[in-house]
């Protein structure tokens, strides 16, 4: 028995659902012919669908015609729910594209045609509403050939020599056969249809069930069941939940047989899963039949799977390509005060899972929930879904346009990640791509330079996240990113190291590139009374739109073109005002094009790429056993692998002169300790010269204020002395550890100081008391990149530090970390810098946050 999976697609209001009803009625599957306007359509069974009179969720129906079993998938026609339709295309054997005889080929019809070509789905066309006045068969067929494909042939005409000749012109082998035999066999036509070389057209009225039987006969005669392999395979195209909350995975079996209790395997992100099939359901409308097995070619819903996602392939099937149609608007969701974000977010993710056109983004840094969607209708549906399912009344802020970014020139991005005991360097070639090409990742690197496994890992990291541009923080697109070089360490490299190096390489390249802002464009179709044409053309010109030459017929004007979504999204309201309800405005997402007011948008958004620590362009290098940060404009001066692009000349200073932060020249402020010293240590001096260029003079007899004159200090080698036990007992974590294991506390402090040394940039000495140990001599040790001192018998750490400060304050830039009050005054008396133990703890945390925490992207950097 022949078995086909057929999808019904159309522009909104073309009669798609009505045709589905008529096919079910004609086949005898339903006894009553439902209607959308009567709110009793068999497939539009959701309350919101019946209320609005549109299809929101794709539906499945099973029926037979002659000895052919058909699975019918009715898809949404409204542009806001295009992703719901698009994911269904992946499981179709054939599509029936419905075109309104009253409206002809509309903007969304062209979008559907492009998608059908992309997914290589054979197409039958049904031109509906031919019973309406003005429907001209010949004119419609010409328009279809002109705007869709010249190989669209009228299959309702008599199949004579003229018909066969027209069909034969669609394919060279068919033409040779026609010339030799004078006709074409049914199987010849079927093969041409299956290979998308021929597109049959049928005319009729779905509402009056005219031409429907002919369409079914055409599917029966020219449709061919695909050949499926013996090994199991399945394509997942939809996730849903029934009223009881059971999760349903909708799939098409594309090989072998699926049975209840089968164990299926897959991968969710980096996590592999194995789950058992509990139930197999074959739906038809709201009802379903539970079966024990599903053969190849069956579309069914499966329970028991919790980690599946639309587009996933099971068994021999690979993951499908990402949807072409993406959201173009975003809004901020505002939850009631009593509803915590942490509680609501998982529920919203469930809705996102079920509705691929809905994107939920949680911005951890601001605690905001951002919803990305296609349009207003989708937003209203989402609001109702949240209320009905979870009892939460969510509000939404002002809609914003979703921009994207690309580049004009080719650059090499370099990312290096080398904190202590980690290593990875990645070189990426970033090249501009054609408009609408998206992101393409590839590798062109010798395995002698970087092992193939590391190259594959880099490609994985490139594809696993959305990379932000540097103009507005919008997602990048229309680029080819090629792995051209890199390096790993035989011992210290881990997978997470290449993740960090890859992310940094992308951003470093973007910072050097000439970036371009892109905005979404609509293709529009404007139908207006002839007398309103001048106003409409002026409006479109003011909205930065491009227009084709207008067409005028029977007092009505047709204007087509394209323009920015930001300018056209609210035009219908204005049209209703001046056209007095007689105008129609249809918009279909065309894609992204160069933003015409880039500077204005960039300034309004105010994105600061160097302040975005979650998407850093800087790199981490290592010296003396500790990691240190290198800003993006200096990375290529430190990288370990040579550049694959020739240097463009210009000095390092010329490249970074506008990016290097200015040097702040300042003197050290006095504090209470200085006030005490002024009254004691410096009391008998006529004039005391302090370190760092600060000259202090005693107040004059008339109590004139102290004069401070700045002189640029001589650059001296830096030393940091840490009173070890003083710091340990001042820091809560170390104090608690010391109560249990003092050696462990010392070791932890030493490790902390090793990392901090890379940021401090000078010599670090940590001093521990050993004065109670009889006969102990001063012990000096090197631990990685710092120095450790255990004092001699009868000498405290305070004494050692004070002696060091006294002997070296004129030769080195000395800073002491301690909270000992007496020691603080002595240190300041030696003109050394001072930081308390608690202030030092905050400084270390800030430094570590800069090097580690702020460079995480929601996961451990290791």
């Amino acid at each position: 028995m022949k078995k086909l999976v057929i999808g019904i697609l159309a522009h909104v209001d073309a009669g798609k659902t009505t045709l589905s009803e008529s096919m079910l009625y004609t086949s005898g599957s339903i006894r009553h012919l439902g209607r959308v306007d009567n709110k009793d359509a068999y497939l539009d069974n959701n309350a919101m669908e019946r209320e609005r009179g549109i299809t929101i969720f794709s539906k499945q129906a099973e029926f037979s015609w002659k000895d052919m079993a058909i699975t019918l998938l009715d898809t949404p026609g409204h542009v806001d729910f295009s992703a719901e339709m698009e994911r269904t295309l992946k499981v179709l054997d054939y599509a029936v594209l419905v075109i309104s005889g009253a409206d002809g080929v509309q903007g969304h019809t062209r979008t559907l045609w492009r998608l059908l070509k992309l997914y290589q789905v054979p197409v039958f066309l049904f031109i509906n509403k031919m019973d309406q006045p003005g429907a001209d068969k010949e004119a419609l067929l010409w328009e279809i050939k002109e705007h869709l494909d010249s190989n669209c042939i009228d299959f309702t005409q008599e199949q004579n020599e003229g018909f066969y000749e027209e069909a034969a012109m669609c394919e060279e082998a068919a033409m040779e056969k026609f010339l030799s035999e004078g006709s074409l066999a049914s199987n010849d036509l079927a093969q041409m249809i299956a290979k998308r070389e021929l597109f049959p057209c049928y005319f009729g009225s779905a509402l009056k069930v005219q031409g429907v039987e002919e369409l079914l006969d055409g599917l029966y005669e020219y449709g061919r069941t695909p050949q499926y392999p013996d090994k199991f395979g399945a394509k997942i195209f939809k996730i849903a939940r029934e009223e009881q909350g059971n999760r349903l995975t909708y799939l098409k079996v594309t090989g072998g047989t699926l049975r209840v209790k089968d164990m299926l395997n897959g991968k969710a992100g980096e996590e592999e899963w194995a789950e058992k099939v509990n139930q197999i359901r074959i739906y038809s409308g709201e009802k379903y039949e539970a079966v024990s097995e599903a053969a190849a070619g069956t579309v069914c819903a499966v329970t028991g799977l919790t980690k599946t996602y639309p587009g996933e392939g099971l068994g021999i099937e690979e993951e499908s390509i990402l949807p072409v149609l993406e959201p173009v608007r975003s809004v901020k969701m505002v939850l009631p005060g009593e509803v915590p974000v942490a509680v609501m977010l998982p529920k919203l993710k469930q809705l996102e899972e079920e509705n691929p056109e809905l994107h939920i983004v949680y911005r951890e840094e601001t605690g905001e929930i951002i919803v990305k969607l296609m349009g207003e209708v989708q937003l209203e549906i989402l609001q109702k879904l949240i209320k009905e399912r979870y009892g939460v009344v969510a509000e939404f802020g002002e809609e914003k346009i979703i921009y994207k970014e690309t580049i004009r020139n080719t650059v090499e991005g370099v990312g290096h990640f080398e904190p202590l005991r980690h290593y990875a360097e990645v070189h990426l070639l970033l090249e501009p791509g054609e408009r609408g090409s998206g992101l393409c990742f590839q590798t062109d690197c010798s395995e002698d330079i970087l092992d193939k496994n590391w190259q594959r890992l880099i490609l994985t990291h490139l594809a696993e996240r959305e990379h932000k541009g540097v103009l507005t923080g919008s997602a990048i697109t229309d680029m080819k990113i090629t792995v051209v070089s890199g390096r790993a360490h035989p011992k210290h490299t881990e997978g997470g190291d290449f993740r960090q190096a890859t992310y940094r390489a992308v951003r470093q390249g973007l910072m050097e590139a000439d970036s371009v802002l892109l905005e979404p464009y609509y293709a529009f179709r404007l139908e207006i009374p002839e007398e309103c044409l001048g106003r409409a053309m002026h409006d479109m010109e003011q909205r930065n739109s491009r227009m084709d030459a207008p067409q005028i017929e029977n007092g009505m004007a047709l204007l087509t073109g394209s323009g920015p979504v930001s300018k056209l999204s609210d035009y219908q309201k204005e049209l209703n005002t001046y056209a007095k309800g007689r105008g129609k405005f249809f918009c279909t997402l065309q894609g992204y094009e160069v933003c015409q007011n880039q500077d204005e948008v960039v300034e309004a958004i105010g994105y600061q790429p160097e302040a975005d620590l979650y998407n850093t362009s800087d790199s981490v290098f290592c010296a003396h056993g500790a990691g240190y940060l290198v800003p993006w404009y200096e990375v290529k001066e430190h990288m370990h692998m040579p550049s694959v692009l020739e240097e463009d000349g210009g000095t390092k200073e010329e490249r970074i002169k506008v990016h290097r932060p200015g040097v702040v020249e300042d003197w050290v402020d006095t504090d209470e300790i200085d006030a005490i010293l002024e009254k004691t240590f410096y009391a008998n001096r006529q004039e005391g010269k302090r370190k760092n260029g600060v000259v202090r003079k005693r107040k004059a007899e008339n109590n004139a204020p102290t004069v401070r004159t700045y002189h640029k200090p001589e650059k001296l080698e830096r030393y940091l002395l840490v009173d070890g036990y003083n710091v340990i007992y001042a820091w809560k974590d170390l104090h608690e550890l010391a109560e249990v294991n003092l050696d462990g506390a010392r070791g932890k402090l030493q490790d902390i100081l090793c990392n901090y040394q890379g940021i401090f940039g000078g010599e670090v000495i940590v001093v521990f008391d050993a004065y109670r140990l009889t006969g102990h001599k001063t012990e000096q040790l090197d631990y990685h990149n710092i120095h450790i001192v255990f004092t001699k018998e009868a000498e405290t750490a305070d004494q050692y530090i004070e002696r060091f400060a006294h002997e070296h304050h004129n030769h080195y830039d000395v800073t002491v970390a301690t909270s000992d009050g007496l020691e603080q005054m002595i240190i300041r008396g030696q003109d050394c810098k001072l930081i308390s133990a608690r202030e030092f703890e905050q400084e270390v945390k800030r430094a570590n946050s800069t090097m580690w925490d702020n460079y995480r992207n929601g996961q451990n950097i290791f």
Side-chain angles (χ1 to χ4, degrees), residues 120 122 171 173 188-199:
Q120 287 296 293
E171 202 263 333
D188 297 329
L189 298 174
Q191 290 181 4
M192 294 171 67
I193 294 170
K195 292 188 292 185
R196 289 182 47 86
E197 295 168 342
L198 177 62
F199 305 99

Side-chain angles (χ1 to χ4, degrees), residues 440-668:
C440 174
F441 306 124
Q442 62 184 34
T443 179
D444 184 19
C445 177
S446 170
E447 292 185 43
D448 294 334
I449 296 175
L450 187 63
D451 188 78
K452 199 68 176 178
N453 288 334
W454 293 126
Q455 294 185 38
R456 292 194 188 100
L457 185 60
I458 294 171
L459 293 176
T460 298
H461 293 322
L462 284 171
E464 72 188 2
R465 67 172 288 182
E466 181 182 87
H467 300 278
K468 286 187 176 183
V470 297
L471 295 176
T472 61
S474 303
I476 60 172
T477 187
D478 298 346
M479 266 190 263
K480 182 171 71 172
I481 301 180
T482 307
V483 182
V484 291
S485 185
R487 175 177 285 180
H489 191 280
K491 290 184 179 180
H492 298 316
T493 298
E494 298 180 9
D497 301 341
F498 270 103
R499 175 184 290 112
Q500 290 297 316
T502 300
Y503 294 172
R504 286 164 165 77
V506 173
R507 288 284 286 189
Q508 197 275 335
L510 292 174
M511 292 294 283
E512 287 193 352
D514 182 8
S515 293
V516 182
L517 188 66
L518 305 177
E519 65 177 326
Y521 266 61
Y522 277 146
F524 68 83
R525 177 187 174 96
L526 178 57
E527 300 174 5
I528 47 173
E530 184 178 354
E531 62 269 20
C532 298
L533 178 60
R535 165 68 186 273
M537 293 183 69
H538 177 266
D539 286 350
M540 292 299 103
E541 185 176 346
Q542 291 296 109
R543 285 167 168 76
N544 300 332
S545 299
R546 298 186 293 265
M547 295 168 283
D548 300 324
Q551 302 176 27
I552 302 175
E553 186 176 350
N554 299 326
M556 294 295 291
L558 173 64
L559 194 62
T560 58
S562 63
V565 170
S566 59
K567 304 289 186 179
L568 299 179
S569 57
D570 60 349
Y571 187 67
Q572 182 66 56
K573 297 176 183 177
E574 188 170 341
L575 175 64
N576 291 339
T577 301
Y578 75 80
K580 298 182 173 63
R582 294 188 297 157
K584 294 181 180 179
F585 187 63
F586 304 100
C587 284
T588 303
L589 183 62
Q590 178 175 280
Y592 277 78
E593 297 186 27
V594 175
C595 181
Q596 298 185 17
N597 58 332
Q598 173 173 310
D599 293 342
E600 179 183 335
V601 173
V602 171
E603 182 178 357
I605 293 176
Y607 178 70
Q608 299 294 329
E610 292 181 273
D612 187 352
L613 301 179
Y614 289 91
N615 296 276
T616 179
S617 53
D618 301 338
S619 283
V620 180
F621 287 80
C622 188
H624 307 297
Y628 64 96
L629 290 173
V630 173
W632 65 268
Y633 46 82
E634 293 182 353
V635 167
K636 291 184 178 178
E637 304 296 331
H638 294 74
M639 63 187 183
H640 295 176
M641 300 295 291
S643 172
V644 299
L645 295 179
E646 293 183 1
E647 292 294 337
D648 57 357
T651 66
K652 172 183 173 183
E653 291 301 321
E654 289 173 341
R655 287 211 319 272
I656 68 175
K657 62 183 178 180
V658 298
H659 305 291
R660 185 187 298 279
V663 177
V664 179
E665 298 180 339
D666 199 4
W667 43 271
V668 180

Side-chain angles (χ1 to χ4, degrees), residues 775-826:
H776 189 270
K777 296 181 180 180
T778 301
E779 185 179 5
Q780 299 181 3
L781 306 171
D782 287 336
Y783 181 77
H784 295 302
N785 56 329
I786 67 172
H787 310 290
I788 302 171
V789 174
F790 289 92
T791 62
K792 64 184 178 180
E793 180 186 5
E795 183 182 40
T796 65
D798 298 350
Q799 293 170 326
Y800 180 92
I801 293 172
E802 291 160 12
R803 179 162 48 83
F804 185 97
H806 176 73
E807 294 175 357
H808 300 292
H809 73 277
N810 288 325
H811 307 290
Y812 302 113
D813 183 355
V814 179
T815 301
V816 177
T818 183
S819 289
D820 184 286
L822 180 60
E823 184 182 7
Q824 287 179 328
M825 282 192 285
I826 295 173

Side-chain angles (χ1 to χ4, degrees), residues 380-431:
E380 294 173 14
I381 297 299
L382 173 63
Q383 197 169 26
K384 287 190 175 183
L385 277 174
I386 294 173
K387 183 178 180 181
E388 290 178 1
R389 189 175 293 189
Y390 307 118
V392 175
V393 179
E395 300 295 333
F396 296 92
E398 181 183 357
E399 289 191 22
K400 297 181 180 179
I401 298 299
I402 298 177
Y403 293 93
K404 292 190 177 183
E405 298 182 29
T406 187
I407 57 176
R408 283 195 180 95
N409 58 328
T410 298
V411 294
E412 180 182 1
V414 179
H416 190 97
F417 189 69
E418 190 187 359
L420 190 61
R421 301 186 184 91
H422 293 268
Y423 186 94
E425 181 166 300
V426 173
H427 290 230
L428 302 173
L429 194 66
L430 279 61
E431 302 173 84

Side-chain angles (χ1 to χ4, degrees), residues 105 136-149 203 551:
V105 177
D136 186 334
K137 179 178 178 180
E138 296 301 323
L140 285 165
L141 190 59
W142 178 87
E143 184 180 356
I144 291 170
K145 287 176 175 285
E146 182 73 15
H147 295 293
L148 299 184
D149 198 294
F203 296 81
Q551 302 176 27

